[in-house]
């Protein structure tokens, strides 16, 4: 037993869920460090259970470990008890596979899934003995990179990251490893590698760009400071999803992960065009996997993991062009063996209910629909092309099929929202609860509201979030109007949403507040029991930043956006026209089924414009 | 058919809870494509029943479980195929077929044996003396906290057999204690009671389960023991 392992044996009995840090799971890949040229660790800045449920991590794990010249290990954010024990025992944060301290890897890659994990990134760097700021890292320190959805505006993290990957990681990571290998064999300087990697399409090196601000505090320009560095970094995507690698033998967690099941990825992207939805914009275009590929992958996945449940995970899985045939095939192959099939959420229509019924999701759980807004007017604003009638029909067929409990998801504070729109949520929930049914019964209707957070690269990127007091007032308004024994109301903390807005629209100046908050002890901000608004307020005050400048201000059309130099392929004019259409209540159809809405992505990425199911 | 197996839970998996240990075995059984029997209902489950839950952090060379299969399979093949699919640290050590109607293992277990490694701050002679003195008591009362209720229990009758190996920092105990539904003594409770009694600074380093026992004709035997009626019983019948 190595020294670290014997210390661990003393520490682990003292922490909650020690299996989070033990590793050794089925399908884990352990490679010899001395004979492997490129050593990378995938750092998920949240706890193990959350990270193990992330499909993208499993993909990258297999992509890198399939190479003979590279290895990829895993590390997750330690829970507060483990952080305390690590510090007490003076042992650095280590990878699960070989218990190697973070510092000893060549590349430390963070995935940015949501803004509330940012302090965890700084904390994991510190616990791994890596200098927090990229500028302070020296020749023997690892390179710290990041990717994932929040990488489309990584500016609040810019000083802490050596480089950022835009788009689908499996498409780029191989090239990065090749560049690194080359550089390592040449024994180059740190700066040489950054210059080389900046030339890989999809790679953004923040330190090679200079940002200037006007006297009014507004962003003036973001320009490359080196030749050969692109003015705008364009994202990378997998062109043929059927041919792309899929993790058919992912690590099987011992601990019940949030999704303790196999994941099947039917397609990437979603073109429904909901105007608030960042995923629906940045993951375009829609690319499907063929049904044969999926059935084959399901077989391999179940054979290699032993899961008794397989989830169809994509943005709106029922939009898959051959969803009926796929579900029928899976039910036929695995139903008798007791393998369940699950859908993460249901589209608001009766077809969705039929499919859910087919996989016996009835009685297993409640059914969730997301109308997002209470009134038709506001649903038109956000381009959620669902009518009240659609919802009532879907609920009725679900109730008659045997479901008793319903969850309805809405957003509060959407652009143009009025009190009438808020009250319409309660009215709609009431209608659902009191539907007249031929058979079945509705026992419970749970209304959940999240708070609108304007996101970069969406038509609402120019919008400001409502002040927290106003969000709280509207929540109260809804609370007061949701009455009835079947109805229940749940809401999201506006303080957390406010912070999320600051980071989703923040520029490089926000980094100072982030670093200060982390110094003050902010961690695990996405967990209510750890979120400390008072410390965050102090951090903003200490660094002289006004958070509402980022979260609440409406940005004018001619302003330079902090993410202007990062390009998911969407044209600015498309996003702006969508914003205008929103105020006019005009619908924009799903381009994966109807006409092209000229968002610019296919042209920018040189992909053919195709409907779903074409070219499979 | 029903197969009863003896399973090891080693160092590599000692921090996995019993529930996750059970889930790991279920997944391994599925990967091994064993012809398992399924329960009915909306969420069919594999029919695997464990003898006893092992506390998180313990290792064991004597976990037992019954596996119900819908088709017959050679026991040796069952062991081989399952072991190929088990992660490091978990191993089927032994197995045999038992009667389909054999009662649930959990209800049959009456005793468990452990090896406990601990460090104590007193000379070995003192340790031996205190341990003997501790065991010579007629009653050993401990306080058990169960569901917000505190209960005083005499654990002396539950200590069946012990052996101490005094080695200072690396002292160890072999303990045979009552376990199961008629009384359950956890090894750490016993040692803590002893440390308190002797007023010494003790720390438990490691607990390893060495056996689980069921009762047959007044004897403690392994759940895998083949039933052979002892002569004295046969004569009296």
């Amino acid at each position: 037993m190595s020294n670290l392992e014997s210390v661990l044996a003393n520490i682990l009995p003292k922490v909650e869920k020690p299996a989070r840090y033990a590793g050794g799971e089925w399908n884990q890949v352990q490679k010899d460090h001395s004979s492997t040229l490129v050593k990378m660790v995938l750092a998920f800045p949240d706890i193990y259970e959350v990270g193990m449920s992330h499909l993208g991590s499993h993909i990258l794990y297999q992509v890198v470990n399939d190479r003979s010249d590279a290895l990829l290990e895993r590390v997750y954010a330690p829970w507060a008890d483990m952080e305390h024990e690590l510090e007490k025992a003076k042992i650095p944060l280590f990878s699960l596979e070989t218990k190697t301290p973070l510092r000893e890897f060549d590349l430390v890659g963070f995935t940015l899934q949501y803004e509330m994990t940012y302090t965890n990134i700084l904390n994991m760097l510190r616990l791994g003995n890596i200098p927090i700021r990229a500028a302070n890292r020296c020749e023997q320190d690892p390179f710290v990179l990041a990717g994932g959805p929040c990488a489309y505006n990584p500016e609040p993290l810019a000083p802490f990251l050596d480089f950022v990957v835009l788009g689908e990681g499996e498409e780029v990571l191989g090239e990065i490893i090749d560049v690194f290998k080359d550089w390592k064999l040449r024994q180059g300087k740190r700066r040489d590698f950054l210059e080389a990697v900046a030339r890989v399409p999809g790679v953004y090196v923040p330190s090679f760009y200079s940002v200037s601000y006007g006297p009014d505090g507004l962003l003036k320009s973001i320009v490359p400071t080196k030749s050969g560095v692109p003015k705008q970094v364009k994202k990378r995507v997998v062109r043929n999803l059927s041919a792309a690698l899929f993790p058919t033998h992912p690590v099987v967690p011992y601990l019940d992960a949030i999704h303790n099941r196999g994941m099947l990825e039917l397609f990437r992207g979603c073109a429904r065009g909901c105007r608030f939805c960042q995923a629906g914009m940045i993951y375009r275009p829609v690319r499907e996997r063929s049904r044969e590929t999926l059935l084959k992958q399901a077989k391999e996945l179940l054979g290699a993991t032993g899961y008794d449940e397989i989830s169809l995970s994509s943005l709106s899985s029922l939009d898959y062009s051959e969803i009926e045939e796929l579900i029928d095939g899976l039910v036929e192959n695995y139903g008798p063996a007791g393998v369940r099939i699950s859908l993460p959420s249901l589209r608001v229509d009766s077809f969705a209910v039929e499919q859910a019924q087919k996989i016996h999701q009835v009685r297993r759980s409640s059914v969730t629909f997301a109308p997002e807004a209470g009134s038709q007017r506001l649903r038109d604003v956000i381009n959620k092309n669902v009518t009240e009638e659609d919802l009532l029909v879907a609920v009725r067929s679900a109730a008659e099929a045997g479901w008793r409990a319903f969850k309805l998801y809405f957003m509060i504070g959407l652009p143009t929202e009025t009190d009438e729109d808020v009250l319409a949520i309660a009215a709609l929930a009431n209608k659902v609860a009191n539907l007249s049914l031929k058979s079945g019964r509705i026992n419970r209707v749970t209304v959940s509201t999240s708070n609108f957070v304007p996101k970069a690269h969406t038509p609402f990127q120019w919008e400001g979030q409502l002040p927290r007091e106003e969000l709280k007032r509207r929540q109260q308004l809804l609370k007061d109007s949701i009455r009835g024994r079947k109805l229940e109301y749940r809401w999201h903390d506006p303080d957390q949403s406010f912070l999320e807005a600051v980071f989703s629209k923040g520029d490089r100046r926000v980094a100072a507040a982030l670093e200060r908050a982390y110094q003050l002890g902010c961690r695990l901000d996405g967990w209510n029991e750890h979120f400390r608004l008072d410390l965050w307020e102090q951090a903003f005050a200490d660094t002289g930043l006004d958070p509402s400048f980022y979260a609440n201000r409406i940005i004018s059309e001619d302003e330079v956006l902090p993410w202007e130099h990062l390009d998911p392929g969407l044209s600015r004019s498309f996003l702006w026209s969508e914003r205008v259409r929103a105020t006019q209540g005009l619908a924009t159809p799903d381009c994966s089924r109807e006409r092209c809405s000229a968002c610019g992505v296919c042209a920018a990425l040189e992909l053919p414009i195709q409907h779903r199911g074409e070219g499979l | 058919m029903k197969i009863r197996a003896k399973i090891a839970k080693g160092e590599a998996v000692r921090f996995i809870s019993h529930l996750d240990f059970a889930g790991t075995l279920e997944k391994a059984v599925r990967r091994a494509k064993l012809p398992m029997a399924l329960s009915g209902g909306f969420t069919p489950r594999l029919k695997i029943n464990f003898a006893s839950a092992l506390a998180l952090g313990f290792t064991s060379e004597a976990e037992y479980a019954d596996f119900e299969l819908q088709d017959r399979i050679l026991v040796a093949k069952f062991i081989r195929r399952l072991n190929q699919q088990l992660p490091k640290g978990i191993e089927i050590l032994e197995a045999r077929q038992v009667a389909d109607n054999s009662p649930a293992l959990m209800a049959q277990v009456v005793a468990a044996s452990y090896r406990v490694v601990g460090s104590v701050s007193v000379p070995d002679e003192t340790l031996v003396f205190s341990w003997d003195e501790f065991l010579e008591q007629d009653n050993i009362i401990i306080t058990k906290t169960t569901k917000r209720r505190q209960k005083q229990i005499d654990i002396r009758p539950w200590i069946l057999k012990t052996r101490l190996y005094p080695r200072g920092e690396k002292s160890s105990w072999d303990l045979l204690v009552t376990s199961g539904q008629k009384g359950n003594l956890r090894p750490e409770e016993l040692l803590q009671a002893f440390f308190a009694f002797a007023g010494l600074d003790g720390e438990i380093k490691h607990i390893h389960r060495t056996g689980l026992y069921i009762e047959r004709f007044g004897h403690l035997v392994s759940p895998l023991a083949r039933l052979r009626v002892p002569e004295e019983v046969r004569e009296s019948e």
Side-chain angles (χ1 to χ4, degrees), chain A residues 12 18-19 26 252 254-255 303-306 308 337, chain B residues 13 15-16 20 24 27 30-31 56 84-87:
Chain A
L12 290 182
W26 188 254
V252 181
Y254 285 123
L255 269 181
T305 59
D308 63 354
Chain B
V13 287
F15 293 113
I16 293 156
D20 293 332
T24 301
K27 290 189 190 87
R30 286 183 190 275
R31 289 193 295 265
L56 193 125
Q84 280 170 353
Q85 297 297 331
L86 282 168

PDB file of all heavy atoms in Angstrom, chain A residues 12 18-19 26 252 254-255 303-306 308 337, chain B residues 13 15-16 20 24 27 30-31 56 84-87:
ATOM      1  N   LEU A  12     -11.111   7.691   5.073  1.00  0.00           N
ATOM      2  CA  LEU A  12     -12.398   7.338   4.469  1.00  0.00           C
ATOM      3  C   LEU A  12     -13.483   6.906   5.465  1.00  0.00           C
ATOM      4  O   LEU A  12     -14.644   7.238   5.257  1.00  0.00           O
ATOM      5  CB  LEU A  12     -12.201   6.304   3.355  1.00  0.00           C
ATOM      6  CG  LEU A  12     -11.495   6.860   2.107  1.00  0.00           C
ATOM      7  CD1 LEU A  12     -11.371   5.795   1.024  1.00  0.00           C
ATOM      8  CD2 LEU A  12     -12.234   8.074   1.550  1.00  0.00           C
ATOM      9  N   PRO A  18     -17.956   7.237   1.517  1.00  0.00           N
ATOM     10  CA  PRO A  18     -16.539   7.163   1.119  1.00  0.00           C
ATOM     11  C   PRO A  18     -16.321   6.599  -0.289  1.00  0.00           C
ATOM     12  O   PRO A  18     -15.286   6.856  -0.890  1.00  0.00           O
ATOM     13  CB  PRO A  18     -15.919   6.253   2.178  1.00  0.00           C
ATOM     14  CG  PRO A  18     -17.051   5.553   2.826  1.00  0.00           C
ATOM     15  CD  PRO A  18     -18.235   6.458   2.732  1.00  0.00           C
ATOM     16  N   ALA A  19     -17.318   5.872  -0.803  1.00  0.00           N
ATOM     17  CA  ALA A  19     -17.153   5.303  -2.147  1.00  0.00           C
ATOM     18  C   ALA A  19     -16.990   6.397  -3.207  1.00  0.00           C
ATOM     19  O   ALA A  19     -16.518   6.134  -4.306  1.00  0.00           O
ATOM     20  CB  ALA A  19     -18.348   4.407  -2.496  1.00  0.00           C
ATOM     21  N   TRP A  26     -16.294  -1.022 -11.757  1.00  0.00           N
ATOM     22  CA  TRP A  26     -16.282  -1.861 -12.950  1.00  0.00           C
ATOM     23  C   TRP A  26     -16.080  -0.978 -14.182  1.00  0.00           C
ATOM     24  O   TRP A  26     -16.679   0.097 -14.266  1.00  0.00           O
ATOM     25  CB  TRP A  26     -17.603  -2.628 -13.052  1.00  0.00           C
ATOM     26  CG  TRP A  26     -17.594  -3.656 -14.143  1.00  0.00           C
ATOM     27  CD1 TRP A  26     -18.234  -3.582 -15.335  1.00  0.00           C
ATOM     28  CD2 TRP A  26     -16.908  -4.907 -14.129  1.00  0.00           C
ATOM     29  NE1 TRP A  26     -17.983  -4.715 -16.071  1.00  0.00           N
ATOM     30  CE2 TRP A  26     -17.175  -5.543 -15.360  1.00  0.00           C
ATOM     31  CE3 TRP A  26     -16.075  -5.548 -13.200  1.00  0.00           C
ATOM     32  CZ2 TRP A  26     -16.655  -6.797 -15.693  1.00  0.00           C
ATOM     33  CZ3 TRP A  26     -15.563  -6.791 -13.526  1.00  0.00           C
ATOM     34  CH2 TRP A  26     -15.848  -7.407 -14.762  1.00  0.00           C
ATOM     35  N   VAL A 252     -19.068   1.880 -14.133  1.00  0.00           N
ATOM     36  CA  VAL A 252     -20.336   1.646 -13.423  1.00  0.00           C
ATOM     37  C   VAL A 252     -20.140   2.036 -11.959  1.00  0.00           C
ATOM     38  O   VAL A 252     -19.389   1.380 -11.248  1.00  0.00           O
ATOM     39  CB  VAL A 252     -20.743   0.156 -13.516  1.00  0.00           C
ATOM     40  CG1 VAL A 252     -22.060  -0.089 -12.802  1.00  0.00           C
ATOM     41  CG2 VAL A 252     -20.814  -0.289 -14.975  1.00  0.00           C
ATOM     42  N   TYR A 254     -20.348   2.452  -8.007  1.00  0.00           N
ATOM     43  CA  TYR A 254     -20.864   1.649  -6.897  1.00  0.00           C
ATOM     44  C   TYR A 254     -22.015   2.385  -6.247  1.00  0.00           C
ATOM     45  O   TYR A 254     -23.046   1.826  -5.949  1.00  0.00           O
ATOM     46  CB  TYR A 254     -19.770   1.440  -5.846  1.00  0.00           C
ATOM     47  CG  TYR A 254     -18.714   0.443  -6.234  1.00  0.00           C
ATOM     48  CD1 TYR A 254     -17.381   0.799  -6.259  1.00  0.00           C
ATOM     49  CD2 TYR A 254     -19.058  -0.864  -6.550  1.00  0.00           C
ATOM     50  CE1 TYR A 254     -16.406  -0.116  -6.587  1.00  0.00           C
ATOM     51  CE2 TYR A 254     -18.084  -1.782  -6.883  1.00  0.00           C
ATOM     52  CZ  TYR A 254     -16.761  -1.404  -6.906  1.00  0.00           C
ATOM     53  OH  TYR A 254     -15.804  -2.316  -7.231  1.00  0.00           O
ATOM     54  N   LEU A 255     -21.772   3.664  -6.010  1.00  0.00           N
ATOM     55  CA  LEU A 255     -22.789   4.497  -5.366  1.00  0.00           C
ATOM     56  C   LEU A 255     -23.936   4.697  -6.339  1.00  0.00           C
ATOM     57  O   LEU A 255     -23.726   4.835  -7.527  1.00  0.00           O
ATOM     58  CB  LEU A 255     -22.205   5.884  -5.096  1.00  0.00           C
ATOM     59  CG  LEU A 255     -21.526   6.153  -3.791  1.00  0.00           C
ATOM     60  CD1 LEU A 255     -21.073   7.595  -3.783  1.00  0.00           C
ATOM     61  CD2 LEU A 255     -22.464   5.914  -2.633  1.00  0.00           C
ATOM     62  N   GLY A 303     -24.696  -5.220 -21.950  1.00  0.00           N
ATOM     63  CA  GLY A 303     -23.815  -6.362 -21.741  1.00  0.00           C
ATOM     64  C   GLY A 303     -22.587  -6.000 -20.925  1.00  0.00           C
ATOM     65  O   GLY A 303     -22.098  -6.796 -20.135  1.00  0.00           O
ATOM     66  N   ALA A 304     -22.091  -4.784 -21.102  1.00  0.00           N
ATOM     67  CA  ALA A 304     -20.846  -4.388 -20.436  1.00  0.00           C
ATOM     68  C   ALA A 304     -21.066  -3.767 -19.066  1.00  0.00           C
ATOM     69  O   ALA A 304     -20.124  -3.590 -18.305  1.00  0.00           O
ATOM     70  CB  ALA A 304     -20.074  -3.412 -21.320  1.00  0.00           C
ATOM     71  N   THR A 305     -22.294  -3.390 -18.750  1.00  0.00           N
ATOM     72  CA  THR A 305     -22.546  -2.723 -17.473  1.00  0.00           C
ATOM     73  C   THR A 305     -23.401  -3.537 -16.525  1.00  0.00           C
ATOM     74  O   THR A 305     -23.255  -3.449 -15.311  1.00  0.00           O
ATOM     75  CB  THR A 305     -23.266  -1.379 -17.675  1.00  0.00           C
ATOM     76  OG1 THR A 305     -24.506  -1.618 -18.352  1.00  0.00           O
ATOM     77  CG2 THR A 305     -22.421  -0.410 -18.471  1.00  0.00           C
ATOM     78  N   GLY A 306     -24.370  -4.293 -17.062  1.00  0.00           N
ATOM     79  CA  GLY A 306     -25.301  -4.999 -16.192  1.00  0.00           C
ATOM     80  C   GLY A 306     -26.419  -4.116 -15.671  1.00  0.00           C
ATOM     81  O   GLY A 306     -27.146  -4.509 -14.764  1.00  0.00           O
ATOM     82  N   ASP A 308     -30.009  -2.398 -15.264  1.00  0.00           N
ATOM     83  CA  ASP A 308     -31.349  -2.921 -15.524  1.00  0.00           C
ATOM     84  C   ASP A 308     -32.267  -1.804 -16.005  1.00  0.00           C
ATOM     85  O   ASP A 308     -33.478  -1.921 -16.009  1.00  0.00           O
ATOM     86  CB  ASP A 308     -31.929  -3.613 -14.288  1.00  0.00           C
ATOM     87  CG  ASP A 308     -32.110  -2.664 -13.123  1.00  0.00           C
ATOM     88  OD1 ASP A 308     -31.685  -1.490 -13.236  1.00  0.00           O
ATOM     89  OD2 ASP A 308     -32.664  -3.084 -12.106  1.00  0.00           O
ATOM     90  N   ALA A 337     -36.235  -9.534 -20.072  1.00  0.00           N
ATOM     91  CA  ALA A 337     -35.131  -9.665 -19.118  1.00  0.00           C
ATOM     92  C   ALA A 337     -35.272  -8.687 -17.958  1.00  0.00           C
ATOM     93  O   ALA A 337     -34.400  -8.600 -17.099  1.00  0.00           O
ATOM     94  CB  ALA A 337     -33.802  -9.434 -19.832  1.00  0.00           C
TER      95      ALA A 337
ATOM     96  N   VAL B  13     -13.052  -2.876  -1.768  1.00  0.00           N
ATOM     97  CA  VAL B  13     -14.470  -2.479  -1.783  1.00  0.00           C
ATOM     98  C   VAL B  13     -15.027  -2.268  -0.371  1.00  0.00           C
ATOM     99  O   VAL B  13     -16.233  -2.261  -0.175  1.00  0.00           O
ATOM    100  CB  VAL B  13     -15.338  -3.526  -2.532  1.00  0.00           C
ATOM    101  CG1 VAL B  13     -15.097  -3.458  -4.030  1.00  0.00           C
ATOM    102  CG2 VAL B  13     -15.094  -4.931  -2.015  1.00  0.00           C
ATOM    103  N   PHE B  15     -15.327   0.264   1.382  1.00  0.00           N
ATOM    104  CA  PHE B  15     -16.078   1.497   1.622  1.00  0.00           C
ATOM    105  C   PHE B  15     -17.378   1.571   0.839  1.00  0.00           C
ATOM    106  O   PHE B  15     -17.947   2.640   0.659  1.00  0.00           O
ATOM    107  CB  PHE B  15     -15.193   2.716   1.355  1.00  0.00           C
ATOM    108  CG  PHE B  15     -14.083   2.808   2.351  1.00  0.00           C
ATOM    109  CD1 PHE B  15     -12.767   2.624   1.969  1.00  0.00           C
ATOM    110  CD2 PHE B  15     -14.359   3.026   3.687  1.00  0.00           C
ATOM    111  CE1 PHE B  15     -11.748   2.675   2.900  1.00  0.00           C
ATOM    112  CE2 PHE B  15     -13.356   3.081   4.632  1.00  0.00           C
ATOM    113  CZ  PHE B  15     -12.034   2.900   4.239  1.00  0.00           C
ATOM    114  N   ILE B  16     -17.811   0.422   0.374  1.00  0.00           N
ATOM    115  CA  ILE B  16     -19.078   0.365  -0.341  1.00  0.00           C
ATOM    116  C   ILE B  16     -20.149  -0.112   0.622  1.00  0.00           C
ATOM    117  O   ILE B  16     -19.968  -1.101   1.325  1.00  0.00           O
ATOM    118  CB  ILE B  16     -18.936  -0.595  -1.530  1.00  0.00           C
ATOM    119  CG1 ILE B  16     -17.974   0.027  -2.528  1.00  0.00           C
ATOM    120  CG2 ILE B  16     -20.256  -0.894  -2.180  1.00  0.00           C
ATOM    121  CD1 ILE B  16     -17.346  -0.988  -3.390  1.00  0.00           C
ATOM    122  N   ASP B  20     -25.082  -0.884  -1.955  1.00  0.00           N
ATOM    123  CA  ASP B  20     -24.304  -0.771  -3.189  1.00  0.00           C
ATOM    124  C   ASP B  20     -23.563  -2.073  -3.508  1.00  0.00           C
ATOM    125  O   ASP B  20     -23.359  -2.415  -4.667  1.00  0.00           O
ATOM    126  CB  ASP B  20     -23.323   0.405  -3.094  1.00  0.00           C
ATOM    127  CG  ASP B  20     -24.046   1.745  -3.036  1.00  0.00           C
ATOM    128  OD1 ASP B  20     -25.165   1.829  -3.570  1.00  0.00           O
ATOM    129  OD2 ASP B  20     -23.507   2.691  -2.443  1.00  0.00           O
ATOM    130  N   THR B  24     -24.006  -4.100  -6.867  1.00  0.00           N
ATOM    131  CA  THR B  24     -22.844  -4.508  -7.662  1.00  0.00           C
ATOM    132  C   THR B  24     -22.954  -5.983  -8.042  1.00  0.00           C
ATOM    133  O   THR B  24     -22.678  -6.367  -9.174  1.00  0.00           O
ATOM    134  CB  THR B  24     -21.555  -4.243  -6.861  1.00  0.00           C
ATOM    135  OG1 THR B  24     -21.507  -2.860  -6.558  1.00  0.00           O
ATOM    136  CG2 THR B  24     -20.326  -4.638  -7.647  1.00  0.00           C
ATOM    137  N   LYS B  27     -25.576  -6.383 -10.798  1.00  0.00           N
ATOM    138  CA  LYS B  27     -25.073  -6.006 -12.121  1.00  0.00           C
ATOM    139  C   LYS B  27     -24.131  -7.076 -12.656  1.00  0.00           C
ATOM    140  O   LYS B  27     -24.151  -7.403 -13.841  1.00  0.00           O
ATOM    141  CB  LYS B  27     -24.391  -4.641 -12.063  1.00  0.00           C
ATOM    142  CG  LYS B  27     -25.371  -3.496 -11.841  1.00  0.00           C
ATOM    143  CD  LYS B  27     -24.702  -2.150 -12.005  1.00  0.00           C
ATOM    144  CE  LYS B  27     -25.615  -1.022 -11.557  1.00  0.00           C
ATOM    145  NZ  LYS B  27     -25.501  -0.760 -10.101  1.00  0.00           N
ATOM    146  N   ARG B  30     -26.063  -9.908 -14.019  1.00  0.00           N
ATOM    147  CA  ARG B  30     -26.623  -9.588 -15.344  1.00  0.00           C
ATOM    148  C   ARG B  30     -25.543  -9.680 -16.420  1.00  0.00           C
ATOM    149  O   ARG B  30     -25.775 -10.182 -17.512  1.00  0.00           O
ATOM    150  CB  ARG B  30     -27.235  -8.198 -15.347  1.00  0.00           C
ATOM    151  CG  ARG B  30     -28.557  -8.119 -14.616  1.00  0.00           C
ATOM    152  CD  ARG B  30     -29.131  -6.704 -14.720  1.00  0.00           C
ATOM    153  NE  ARG B  30     -30.274  -6.562 -13.837  1.00  0.00           N
ATOM    154  CZ  ARG B  30     -31.516  -6.913 -14.171  1.00  0.00           C
ATOM    155  NH1 ARG B  30     -31.761  -7.427 -15.355  1.00  0.00           N
ATOM    156  NH2 ARG B  30     -32.503  -6.758 -13.313  1.00  0.00           N
ATOM    157  N   ARG B  31     -24.375  -9.155 -16.115  1.00  0.00           N
ATOM    158  CA  ARG B  31     -23.286  -9.212 -17.103  1.00  0.00           C
ATOM    159  C   ARG B  31     -22.905 -10.656 -17.394  1.00  0.00           C
ATOM    160  O   ARG B  31     -22.564 -11.001 -18.513  1.00  0.00           O
ATOM    161  CB  ARG B  31     -22.055  -8.464 -16.582  1.00  0.00           C
ATOM    162  CG  ARG B  31     -22.200  -6.961 -16.530  1.00  0.00           C
ATOM    163  CD  ARG B  31     -20.854  -6.284 -16.319  1.00  0.00           C
ATOM    164  NE  ARG B  31     -20.238  -6.576 -15.040  1.00  0.00           N
ATOM    165  CZ  ARG B  31     -20.340  -5.820 -13.953  1.00  0.00           C
ATOM    166  NH1 ARG B  31     -21.040  -4.698 -13.989  1.00  0.00           N
ATOM    167  NH2 ARG B  31     -19.740  -6.147 -12.835  1.00  0.00           N
ATOM    168  N   LEU B  56     -20.364  -0.695   6.654  1.00  0.00           N
ATOM    169  CA  LEU B  56     -19.439   0.006   5.772  1.00  0.00           C
ATOM    170  C   LEU B  56     -18.069   0.119   6.444  1.00  0.00           C
ATOM    171  O   LEU B  56     -17.983   0.450   7.625  1.00  0.00           O
ATOM    172  CB  LEU B  56     -20.013   1.398   5.511  1.00  0.00           C
ATOM    173  CG  LEU B  56     -19.390   2.205   4.396  1.00  0.00           C
ATOM    174  CD1 LEU B  56     -20.472   2.632   3.434  1.00  0.00           C
ATOM    175  CD2 LEU B  56     -18.701   3.417   4.949  1.00  0.00           C
ATOM    176  N   GLN B  84     -15.826 -13.896 -13.111  1.00  0.00           N
ATOM    177  CA  GLN B  84     -15.269 -13.144 -14.244  1.00  0.00           C
ATOM    178  C   GLN B  84     -15.840 -11.740 -14.323  1.00  0.00           C
ATOM    179  O   GLN B  84     -15.246 -10.846 -14.913  1.00  0.00           O
ATOM    180  CB  GLN B  84     -15.588 -13.869 -15.565  1.00  0.00           C
ATOM    181  CG  GLN B  84     -14.664 -15.032 -15.850  1.00  0.00           C
ATOM    182  CD  GLN B  84     -15.160 -15.867 -17.023  1.00  0.00           C
ATOM    183  OE1 GLN B  84     -16.257 -15.643 -17.538  1.00  0.00           O
ATOM    184  NE2 GLN B  84     -14.356 -16.829 -17.432  1.00  0.00           N
ATOM    185  N   GLN B  85     -17.024 -11.550 -13.762  1.00  0.00           N
ATOM    186  CA  GLN B  85     -17.705 -10.262 -13.890  1.00  0.00           C
ATOM    187  C   GLN B  85     -17.660  -9.438 -12.611  1.00  0.00           C
ATOM    188  O   GLN B  85     -18.310  -8.396 -12.524  1.00  0.00           O
ATOM    189  CB  GLN B  85     -19.172 -10.489 -14.301  1.00  0.00           C
ATOM    190  CG  GLN B  85     -19.339 -11.145 -15.664  1.00  0.00           C
ATOM    191  CD  GLN B  85     -18.794 -10.295 -16.800  1.00  0.00           C
ATOM    192  OE1 GLN B  85     -18.777  -9.073 -16.714  1.00  0.00           O
ATOM    193  NE2 GLN B  85     -18.331 -10.934 -17.858  1.00  0.00           N
ATOM    194  N   LEU B  86     -16.940  -9.922 -11.608  1.00  0.00           N
ATOM    195  CA  LEU B  86     -16.913  -9.179 -10.345  1.00  0.00           C
ATOM    196  C   LEU B  86     -15.701  -8.268 -10.261  1.00  0.00           C
ATOM    197  O   LEU B  86     -14.604  -8.644 -10.656  1.00  0.00           O
ATOM    198  CB  LEU B  86     -16.922 -10.159  -9.167  1.00  0.00           C
ATOM    199  CG  LEU B  86     -18.306 -10.758  -8.868  1.00  0.00           C
ATOM    200  CD1 LEU B  86     -18.191 -11.924  -7.897  1.00  0.00           C
ATOM    201  CD2 LEU B  86     -19.255  -9.695  -8.321  1.00  0.00           C
ATOM    202  N   PRO B  87     -15.906  -7.047  -9.761  1.00  0.00           N
ATOM    203  CA  PRO B  87     -14.766  -6.134  -9.636  1.00  0.00           C
ATOM    204  C   PRO B  87     -13.783  -6.617  -8.577  1.00  0.00           C
ATOM    205  O   PRO B  87     -14.117  -7.451  -7.741  1.00  0.00           O
ATOM    206  CB  PRO B  87     -15.409  -4.816  -9.224  1.00  0.00           C
ATOM    207  CG  PRO B  87     -16.737  -5.157  -8.671  1.00  0.00           C
ATOM    208  CD  PRO B  87     -17.161  -6.445  -9.304  1.00  0.00           C
TER     209      PRO B  87
END
